């Protein structure tokens, strides 16, 4: 049986033979491209994934209120409810693991800066801080600072490997950017780039959508694709070779992220956790954020759309929120071979989410942190009164860094001073006292 015959047999078995409907109109180059496209997809797997997605969408039409319970108290810790001595203990535990080379950073950097108005990877974006450092540089320098702190506390540090997942479109520009910036002073051999996989789009009745007569419509498989990519790109082998036992995974677009936070690492180790998750308390009940809870006895992140207003409003005796922590318009090929851009949603783009693994976890640890200290998302372009944009990210950095200075004894002489502290100088406000204690601080002209 020829390669083409085997492809026909496979497509017919899964009711996807329309993928080669225009085969006779293709030139040899287009035929080769389409065959490669089909081979790169695991047709049985993606068709089964679509069926599961559809079942979940139908199930989720029923609100989850009566099946939800908050995370058990013994698995839920918080920075602002932990004694200082305990936080110091956690931090030292985390730094010790870093010094021994047992911690790695797992960065999800597949996003383009399209919504920010740029055509390069989001990690390269500059929110217009005085230093004009990009997100990549800020995070790279935080890693360097942790290596310095681990070395200072334990006499040596074997390094902090950086595993960076890109998408098909961000891989080459990301590699180039790191090289041009001398890997931000880090060991190039301990920075590993790998690419996430793509998933096809489906019509509502389960047909793979064609982007053109010779190309399947595909998109990145979401941050949950990190597990398949780690395994199939042989990154797990590299993690084992380097002796890494703990990975801190995060997205590139949180400018305040505490990369490889030693306190969080120490907390998770203390809880003997298989998996840990940082959360922030919702600012208000209807804020459109998912919440971590138990559903039918399994850990799960429940999206806000899956619960009713009454559950979202539910509060603990102390007044805190109890639960505080898609269909698309897809261009497609018509019967005559022309491409159509629909006015209404016509299909489903499937995505995996990194927290989908929670339900398979027996020991999950949740760590609540202060939003203003650790979470400021960069999602949107600047608009008046907008949220999660370069302006809000920049102001959140200034606010946090002024707080660091004031805690160290510095006194600002005017309000709203633009204050930026290099990650190379301080990871989370430490080691500043000798620089600012008792000094009056004025804005620079």
């Amino acid at each position: 049986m020829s390669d083409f015959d085997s492809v026909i047999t496979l497509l017919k078995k899964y009711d996807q033979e329309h993928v080669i409907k225009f085969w006779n109109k293709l030139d040899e180059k287009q035929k080769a491209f389409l065959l490669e496209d089909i081979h790169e997809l695991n047709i049985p797997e993606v068709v089964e994934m679509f069926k599961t997605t559809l079942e979940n969408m139908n199930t989720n039409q029923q609100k989850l209120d009566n099946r939800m319970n908050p995370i058990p108290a013994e698995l839920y810790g918080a920075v602002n409810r932990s004694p200082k001595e305990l936080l110091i203990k956690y931090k030292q535990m985390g730094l010790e693991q870093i010094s021994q080379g047992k911690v790695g950073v797992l960065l999800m950097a597949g996003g383009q800066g399209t919504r920010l108005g740029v055509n390069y990877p989001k990690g390269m974006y500059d929110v217009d801080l005085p230093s004009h450092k990009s997100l990549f540089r800020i995070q790279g320098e935080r890693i360097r600072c942790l290596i310095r702190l681990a070395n200072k506390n334990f006499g040596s540090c074997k390094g902090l490997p950086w595993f960076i997942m890109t998408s098909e479109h961000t891989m080459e520009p990301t590699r180039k950017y790191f090289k041009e910036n001398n890997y931000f002073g880090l060991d190039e051999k301990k920075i590993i780039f790998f690419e996430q996989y793509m998933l096809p789009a489906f019509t509502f009745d389960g047909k793979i959508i064609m982007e053109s007569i010779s190309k399947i419509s595909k998109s990145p498989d979401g941050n949950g694709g990190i597990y398949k990519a780690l395994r199939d790109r042989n990154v797990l082998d590299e993690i084992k070779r380097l002796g890494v036992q703990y990975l801190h995974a995060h997205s590139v677009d949180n400018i305040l992220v505490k990369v490889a936070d030693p306190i969080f690492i120490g907390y998770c180790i203390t809880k003997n956790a298989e998996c840990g998750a940082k959360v922030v308390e919702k600012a208000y009940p209807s804020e459109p954020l998912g919440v971590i809870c138990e559903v039918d006895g399994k850990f799960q992140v429940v999206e806000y759309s899956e619960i009713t207003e009454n559950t979202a409003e539910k509060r603990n005796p102390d007044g805190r929120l109890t639960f505080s922590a898609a269909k698309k318009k897809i261009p497609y090929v018509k019967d005559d071979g022309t491409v159509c851009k629909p006015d209404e949603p016509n299909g489903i783009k499937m995505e995996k989410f990194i927290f989908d693994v929670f339900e398979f976890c027996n020991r999950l640890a949740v760590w609540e942190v202060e939003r203003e200290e650790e979470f400021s998302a960069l999602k949107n372009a600047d608009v008046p009164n907008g949220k999660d944009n370069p302006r809000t990210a920049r102001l959140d950095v200034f606010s946090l860094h002024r707080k660091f200075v004031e805690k160290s004894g510095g006194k600002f002489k005017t309000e709203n001073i633009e204050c930026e502290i290099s990650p190379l100088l301080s990871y989370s406000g430490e080691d500043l006292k000798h620089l600012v204690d008792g000094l009056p601080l004025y804005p620079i002209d």
Side-chain angles (χ1 to χ4, degrees), residues 76-118:
Y76 196 111
V79 168
N80 66 1
R81 295 193 295 278
S82 298
K84 184 178 179 180
E85 299 74 26
L86 189 57
L87 296 177
I88 292 173
K89 176 187 172 184
Y90 291 155
K91 183 177 180 179
Q92 287 300 105
M93 289 178 68
L95 284 174
E96 183 175 19
Q97 298 303 310
I98 290 171
S99 75
Q100 295 173 4
K102 294 180 180 178
V103 177
V105 176
L106 188 53
L107 174 63
M108 294 169 283
Q112 289 274 44
T114 309
R115 286 169 64 183
L116 297 168
V118 297

Side-chain angles (χ1 to χ4, degrees), residues 405-411 432-441:
V405 169
E406 288 170 343
K407 278 190 170 182
S408 297
K411 300 185 184 300
L432 297 177
K433 196 171 183 66
H434 70 288
L435 296 172
V436 301
D437 191 18
L439 293 180
L441 301 170

Side-chain angles (χ1 to χ4, degrees), residues 28-171:
E28 292 306 309
K29 186 176 180 180
Q30 289 175 315
K31 287 178 179 179
F33 185 91
L34 181 55
L35 280 178
E36 184 180 355
D37 227 10
I38 295 169
H39 284 309
E40 283 183 356
L41 291 180
N42 184 327
I43 297 292
E45 183 180 85
V46 296
V47 169
E48 183 61 32
M49 193 181 299
F50 170 78
K51 291 178 180 177
T52 302
T53 299
L54 206 61
E55 289 170 3
N56 289 341
M57 288 175 67
N58 292 332
T59 300
N60 288 343
Q61 297 303 311
Q62 304 172 355
K63 297 294 184 179
L64 298 176
D65 302 57
N66 295 331
R67 298 160 54 199
M68 289 173 60
N69 286 298
I71 295 291
E74 65 272 14
L75 299 179
Y76 196 111
V79 168
N80 66 1
R81 295 193 295 278
S82 298
K84 184 178 179 180
E85 299 74 26
L86 189 57
L87 296 177
I88 292 173
K89 176 187 172 184
Y90 291 155
K91 183 177 180 179
Q92 287 300 105
M93 289 178 68
L95 284 174
E96 183 175 19
Q97 298 303 310
I98 290 171
S99 75
Q100 295 173 4
K102 294 180 180 178
V103 177
V105 176
L106 188 53
L107 174 63
M108 294 169 283
Q112 289 274 44
T114 309
R115 286 169 64 183
L116 297 168
V118 297
N119 61 357
Y120 50 77
K122 190 183 283 189
M124 293 165 55
Y125 195 83
D126 164 19
V127 302
D128 202 26
L129 291 169
S131 67
H132 291 288
K133 291 179 179 179
S134 67
L135 296 172
F136 279 144
R137 177 168 287 280
I138 290 169
Q139 292 166 25
E141 291 185 354
R142 285 187 181 138
I143 291 174
R144 282 178 62 187
C145 188
L146 280 173
I147 291 172
R148 175 178 62 80
L149 288 173
N151 189 62
K152 177 182 175 182
N153 280 265
F154 294 95
S156 65
C157 182
K158 292 184 178 179
L160 187 50
W162 202 1
F163 305 93
I164 301 171
M165 185 175 78
T166 72
S167 65
E168 178 182 57
H169 301 295
T170 62
M171 172 61 88

Side-chain angles (χ1 to χ4, degrees), residues 172-188:
E172 288 313 312
T174 299
R175 280 184 177 275
K176 182 181 177 184
Y177 183 74
F178 271 67
K179 186 175 182 179
E180 289 174 347
N181 285 275
N182 195 32
Y183 301 90
F184 314 115
L186 292 163
D187 182 356
E188 175 189 352

Side-chain angles (χ1 to χ4, degrees), residues 306-348:
E306 298 177 74
I307 58 177
T308 63
E309 187 175 347
N310 284 340
T311 295
E313 296 275 359
K314 192 174 181 180
R315 293 183 182 270
N316 292 335
D318 63 3
R320 293 186 305 109
L321 291 167
T322 301
F323 300 110
S324 60
K327 299 176 181 177
K328 301 282 185 179
K329 300 176 187 176
I330 306 168
Y332 65 98
V333 175
K334 297 200 295 187
D335 288 339
D336 61 3
T338 59
V339 177
C340 175
K341 293 185 177 181
D343 296 324
E344 300 292 333
N346 65 313
I348 294 171

